[in-house]
Amino acid sequence: MDQELDRNEIERLYNLKAKERMQIERQPMPEQEPDVRRANFSEVPFGYFPMAAIVEANRCIQCKKPTCVIGCPVGVNIPGFVRRIAEGDFEGAIHVIKETNMLPAICGRVCPQEQQCEEACVLAKKGQAVAIGRLERFAADWEREHGLADVPPIGSDTGKSVGVVGSGPAGLTVAIDLRRAGHAVTIYEALHLPGGVLMYGIPEFRLPKAIVNAEVDVVQQMGVDIEYNTIIGQIETVDELLDRHDAVFLGTGAGLPWFMDLPGENLCGVYSANEYLTRCNLMRAYDFPNYDTPIAASERIAVVGGGNVAMDVARTAVRLGAEEVYLIYRRSEAEMPARLEEIHHAKQEGVILKLLHNPVRYIGDEEGRVCQVECVRMELGEPDASGRRRPVVVEGSEHTIDVDTVVVAIGNGPNPLVPRTTDNLEVDPKRGTVVTNMNTMRTSKRGVFAGGDIAVGAATVILAMGHGRQAARSINHFLATGVWDIDELPEAFRENGAG
Amino acid sequence: MNEILENVVLADSVNRYLVAAPKIAARRKAGQFVIVRIDEFGERIPLTIADADPAQGTITLVVQAVGKSTAQMATLKPGDRLLDVVGPLGAPTHIERVGTVAVVAGGIGIAPAHPVAQAFKQAGNTVIAILGARSKNLLIMEDEMRRAADEVIVCTDDGSYGCPGLVTHVLNDLIDTRGKPDQVFAVGPVPMMKYVSLLTREYGIPTMVSLNPIMMDGTGMCGGCRVTIGGHTKFACVEGPDFDGHLVDFDELMQRQAFYKEQERVAYERYVQRCRSQEHIAQANQSL
């Protein structure tokens, strides 16, 4: 590997002055052309080549007080790993990352860096931030492709055991950290594959499933046991888990799709984003009939929503062969919650944005299949509680769009299966979330911790991982001391946590 | 786990499977179901648990081959394993002592009706089972139902066995001649459940039906199993599968069940074609 690198160039870059570093252009990441990728499910970006990664890493001016680290929910030592990439020491870089983040190949791909580390980058204020996410991804991919992914050291057996409900980003993170501390860990997963939303929700072209599998393999090599097809709340209750585990972590996610309660919403061909994506990602309906699970063969599809999930659905529909893919969003593009990169990719791939539009009902044919969506146009009024301008219906603007499929991607609530079946577990009556102390990640039930979407409602992968990390610290403390009363906890848990 | 211990043909294209699933066997209650995946290419198939033996650690599934996956399942032999079996899913059937319960079951629905009849009987009710089949050779589990219920009335569409006619006729006669049962539980083809519910609504008899919409994860995560109950959307996988028959939008359910019929046809024909070519290869190899 080292032979490929231009040592002279590395040395020249290494000796640059801060001012000179700031002159280097942000390195683009090569990606599939839109016309090509419209017809395949392969990952869109190819990732950096080594020299591009080194050049990009040299843009970092190694701030004394790195604000990027504060922007990271798990506090990765960003200047540390970027410096090692700049030196051509890729193995050193991944070791630095893995001190705090065991799932970097995933984070490097799906974190909203532009709202986190990269937003906080000093260079962002003067132009373009260091491409921290791309560099993280580069280091993780380099390690995996070179077969160097080590199993982290496991602490000596504590004799304690923890049950983790759900193998999504929160559950995997808590499992890794607890196992490292020497506890026995069993993950209970409802589906037949690990990863939660990483597997069923995020499409292959954004997060290849081989990468999720590789990261989960390491977790299993650490000795974490994963029991698939095990739906807690049905086959066993949380109380029963507490009979054989010393603590339980709930990371059951936001598995409850929201609908808008519109007329015609139960017509054939109207999907939740969860169903559409799960059919395609988890069940591989894009490869029907080689795989048995079918999905609508859409020609004209409307996706309702403006978040990342809506973009994932729209771009999936493009790849499934839909001729027209409309994205119906009630505000303007500026208010879209999706990442800029996702909106950009969607537009490149031919997704038609129907901005300032809102569906009011779905119209079906004689077989009960959706054939039209009736929309109204919206205009932006005064800012609402979220600070975004409130969309207001334009009177008399009703019109219909011909479609054969609709996917509702307006968000998810917490899955109620565990809250409903667990005694003495306080649940937020309005939001359905498990009431969780964000410093200790404790719930109202002794020995039970929670994190990720079940604790806060739909959020991000990295936030869930941050919760997992914080919960592991808190669980370690609980297992060591048996202290549950919050007043007896050390200062660190009563003040500011990573959550 | 998930090993098939028995695969017995009960009637034309209807098989009974005994599957090793100790945890599910110990846990399940009448009315609950499992989701099965045969192999890594397989879809997730929801199947009602027809019976369970906690001591032996087995569950019984009765499955009619209606498409690719269920036809493939019929070829499995004792010793084969199902790749995934997850459950028990759904809420158990609400069982209480009400007096007389008519358990009305049609076709393959007799299998899921069996544990429900047992449970009602055990709760102290008088259970009258009305079993319908298109023809005598399609009638399943008559003996088991006779053991579970106080009384069994069989009818066939073509009159080849029992009373000629539909279960709704039998139920109507029962009400006319012997008075209203205190409750009706109906499970079977959607049109059957619809007409049973229409009939019992006229008489004001509380009626539960067990719905079988298209389903995927079984945890309430996908919403594919949406049904309209009294104008409100419910997820059958977690809020059902049992609902008040007088409130169910059966027509919508029928349409939603038929949504993938074209893809199902493609998958089935492709499967049959492949089986045939494999048979040809096997025959050719034998003759060599």
Side-chain angles (χ1 to χ4, degrees):
Chain A
M1 186 67 213
D2 288 352
Q3 284 83 345
E4 292 173 28
L5 301 177
D6 180 344
R7 285 285 152 196
N8 294 334
E9 176 66 3
I10 292 173
E11 192 153 343
R12 185 188 72 79
L13 289 165
Y14 194 77
N15 291 320
L16 290 178
K17 304 265 180 297
K19 230 177 199 169
E20 293 170 313
R21 293 182 188 283
M22 287 162 71
Q23 302 296 320
I24 307 172
E25 284 288 309
R26 183 172 156 117
Q27 298 295 295
M29 183 161 57
E31 62 184 28
Q32 289 196 66
E33 291 300 321
D35 278 354
V36 176
R37 67 182 196 243
R38 274 179 62 94
N40 70 55
F41 275 87
S42 304
E43 193 175 14
V44 171
F46 296 117
Y48 277 145
F49 293 111
M51 274 317 291
I54 290 172
V55 172
E56 181 61 33
N58 272 286
R59 296 182 63 232
C60 173
I61 55 171
Q62 297 286 321
C63 302
K64 289 272 182 308
K65 286 182 185 166
T67 46
C68 51
V69 178
I70 300 162
C72 174
V74 296
V76 169
N77 176 2
I78 293 166
F81 94 78
V82 172
R83 185 186 183 99
R84 282 169 181 76
I85 293 179
E87 293 166 355
D89 175 12
F90 305 145
E91 195 166 357
I94 191 66
H95 285 154
V96 171
I97 295 171
K98 286 198 166 173
E99 283 166 14
T100 38
N101 183 356
M102 280 301 294
L103 306 164
I106 294 169
C107 293
R109 286 173 166 81
V110 302
C111 271
Q113 289 100 5
E114 69 280 0
Q115 296 160 23
Q116 298 178 154
C117 53
E118 293 183 19
E119 184 180 49
C121 175
V122 171
L123 268 62
K125 296 170 187 77
K126 297 180 175 160
Q128 288 188 297
V130 173
I132 299 165
R134 294 172 181 180
L135 291 173
E136 180 183 36
R137 170 199 161 121
F138 169 78
D141 288 357
W142 182 88
E143 182 195 43
R144 190 182 62 259
E145 283 158 15
H146 286 75
L148 297 173
D150 281 341
V151 177
I154 309 298
S156 52
D157 184 7
T158 61
K160 304 280 185 182
S161 106
V162 182
V164 173
V165 186
S167 68
L172 288 176
T173 307
V174 81
I176 290 166
D177 283 6
L178 291 169
R179 187 70 197 117
R180 274 172 140 176
H183 309 305
V185 181
T186 303
I187 300 181
Y188 302 93
E189 168 54 51
L191 294 170
H192 55 265
L193 291 175
V197 73
L198 305 171
M199 193 61 87
Y200 74 73
I202 302 176
E204 177 78 16
F205 55 84
R206 220 152 62 76
L207 179 63
K209 302 309 150 212
I211 285 169
V212 182
N213 285 329
E215 307 255 39
V216 172
D217 278 351
V218 173
V219 177
Q220 286 180 301
Q221 283 165 27
M222 291 174 74
V224 171
D225 193 27
I226 305 182
E227 290 192 14
Y228 298 106
N229 296 321
T230 304
I231 302 176
I232 301 304
Q234 293 286 124
I235 186 74
E236 273 189 305
T237 62
V238 170
D239 285 283
E240 286 167 301
L241 293 185
L242 283 170
D243 289 343
R244 65 171 181 277
H245 294 296
D246 300 292
V248 168
F249 175 81
L250 304 176
T252 49
L256 180 73
W258 286 336
F259 287 92
M260 294 167 73
D261 213 7
L262 297 181
E265 216 163 33
N266 289 348
L267 286 167
C268 295
V270 181
Y271 289 89
S272 73
N274 280 357
E275 183 183 3
Y276 194 79
L277 291 172
T278 302
R279 283 183 180 272
C280 204
N281 299 328
L282 181 75
M283 305 309 295
R284 305 201 179 199
Y286 63 85
D287 197 10
F288 177 88
N290 288 324
Y291 283 80
D292 292 340
T293 303
I295 195 164
S298 315
E299 287 175 10
R300 299 166 64 87
I301 178 169
V303 183
V304 181
N308 287 320
V309 173
M311 298 300 152
D312 284 346
V313 170
R315 298 175 65 200
T316 296
V318 166
R319 285 160 173 78
L320 286 170
E323 283 161 30
E324 310 249 302
V325 179
Y326 300 105
L327 192 116
I328 299 177
Y329 180 56
R330 63 198 180 121
R331 304 179 197 244
S332 74
E333 192 172 332
E335 287 85 16
M336 274 194 174
R339 295 180 66 192
L340 288 177
E341 185 186 336
E342 305 306 327
I343 300 170
H344 170 69
H345 275 147
K347 287 205 276 192
Q348 273 188 328
E349 290 165 10
V351 172
I352 302 158
L353 302 189
K354 289 271 181 192
L355 301 168
L356 293 165
H357 276 63
N358 209 27
V360 290
R361 69 180 174 121
Y362 304 106
I363 300 158
D365 64 14
E366 66 282 356
E367 288 184 336
R369 295 176 177 230
V370 67
C371 59
Q372 284 185 321
V373 48
E374 184 176 311
C375 289
V376 286
R377 279 194 289 111
M378 314 292 283
E379 57 191 12
L380 293 180
E382 294 302 308
D384 62 12
S386 74
R388 298 180 297 179
R389 294 176 65 192
R390 182 202 305 273
V392 184
V393 175
V394 177
E395 288 304 323
S397 64
E398 291 82 1
H399 60 286
T400 57
I401 303 171
D402 290 345
V403 293
D404 53 32
T405 311
V406 171
V407 183
V408 182
I410 58 161
N412 284 287
N415 189 290
L417 222 42
V418 166
R420 199 187 281 169
T421 54
T422 309
D423 294 334
N424 305 316
L425 184 70
E426 199 186 329
V427 177
D428 183 316
K430 245 172 95 181
R431 300 165 63 216
T433 46
V434 171
V435 175
T436 307
N437 179 311
M438 284 298 141
N439 291 323
T440 62
M441 308 316 289
R442 289 164 184 231
T443 67
S444 60
K445 191 178 177 76
R446 185 186 168 90
V448 179
F449 300 74
D453 288 353
I454 190 69
V456 291
T460 59
V461 167
I462 188 69
L463 193 67
M465 290 181 182
H467 287 172
R469 161 129 310 162
Q470 181 73 357
R473 275 175 36 198
S474 182
I475 293 169
N476 281 335
H477 184 268
F478 172 66
L479 295 181
T481 63
V483 171
W484 187 257
D485 186 350
I486 201 143
D487 294 330
E488 292 175 36
L489 288 176
E491 200 76 354
F493 288 116
R494 274 182 277 158
E495 281 181 0
N496 214 357
Chain B
M1 243 180 19
N2 303 353
E3 186 181 344
I4 293 185
L5 305 170
E6 272 179 39
N7 176 2
V8 179
V9 177
L10 290 190
D12 268 3
S13 72
V14 178
N15 292 43
R16 186 186 70 211
Y17 305 86
L18 194 66
V19 181
K23 277 187 168 177
I24 299 171
R27 193 72 177 199
R28 71 92 215 192
K29 292 199 170 81
Q32 290 189 298
F33 61 98
V34 289
I35 286 180
V36 163
R37 206 163 67 108
I38 298 174
D39 60 27
E40 64 169 308
F41 301 100
E43 59 188 329
R44 295 169 65 95
I45 319 162
L47 298 168
T48 308
I49 303 167
D51 209 343
D53 184 339
Q56 297 296 316
T58 58
I59 57 171
T60 302
L61 305 173
V62 176
V63 184
Q64 184 167 24
V66 290
K68 189 260 174 184
S69 298
T70 43
Q72 184 188 355
M73 191 163 166
T75 67
L76 298 178
K77 296 177 180 59
D80 290 344
R81 279 168 204 276
L82 298 164
L83 184 59
D84 300 300
V85 180
V86 54
L89 296 165
T93 298
H94 180 74
I95 304 285
E96 61 178 328
R97 186 172 177 169
V98 291
T100 302
V101 179
V103 173
V104 184
I108 191 80
I110 296 170
H114 177 243
V116 174
Q118 280 180 321
F120 272 118
K121 175 80 183 148
Q122 206 165 29
N125 295 287
T126 301
V127 176
I128 303 171
I130 301 174
L131 311 182
R134 268 187 289 139
S135 184
K136 187 185 178 185
N137 63 337
L138 291 171
L139 180 71
I140 59 168
M141 296 178 69
E142 185 190 347
D143 292 345
E144 287 93 329
M145 285 304 270
R146 287 199 186 278
R147 285 195 291 273
D150 294 279
E151 184 181 345
V152 172
I153 308 168
V154 177
C155 61
T156 49
D157 295 6
D158 64 1
S160 53
Y161 186 61
C163 332
L166 303 172
V167 288
T168 37
H169 302 151
V170 177
L171 180 61
N172 211 345
D173 286 349
L174 184 81
I175 294 166
D176 287 348
T177 55
R178 292 157 58 181
K180 294 194 291 185
D182 299 290
Q183 193 180 331
V184 168
F185 179 89
V187 54
V190 180
M192 183 214 97
M193 291 191 281
K194 174 182 171 177
Y195 287 104
V196 167
S197 298
L198 286 173
L199 176 71
T200 58
R201 183 155 62 186
E202 269 176 48
Y203 289 98
I205 308 167
T207 299
M208 294 296 284
V209 293
S210 175
L211 306 185
N212 53 343
I214 290 173
M215 206 173 271
M216 206 166 35
D217 60 287
T219 67
M221 185 270 281
C222 89
C225 63
R226 305 198 294 294
V227 288
T228 302
I229 309 295
H232 299 285
T233 296
K234 302 278 181 190
F235 289 8
C237 70
V238 287
E239 296 171 284
D242 294 352
F243 292 100
D244 180 343
H246 299 158
L247 299 177
V248 174
D249 185 339
F250 289 104
D251 295 334
E252 177 189 271
L253 175 62
M254 268 183 269
Q255 289 177 329
R256 285 185 66 87
Q257 279 184 336
F259 181 52
Y260 293 107
K261 63 183 178 202
E262 181 54 26
Q263 282 105 322
E264 283 162 6
R265 187 187 60 76
V266 168
Y268 182 69
E269 285 177 2
R270 187 169 176 271
Y271 174 72
V272 170
Q273 190 62 40
R274 289 197 158 186
C275 291
R276 282 202 193 114
S277 40
Q278 272 170 9
E279 268 172 40
H280 281 301
I281 293 166
Q283 281 172 3
N285 283 344
Q286 267 182 358
S287 62
L288 279 175

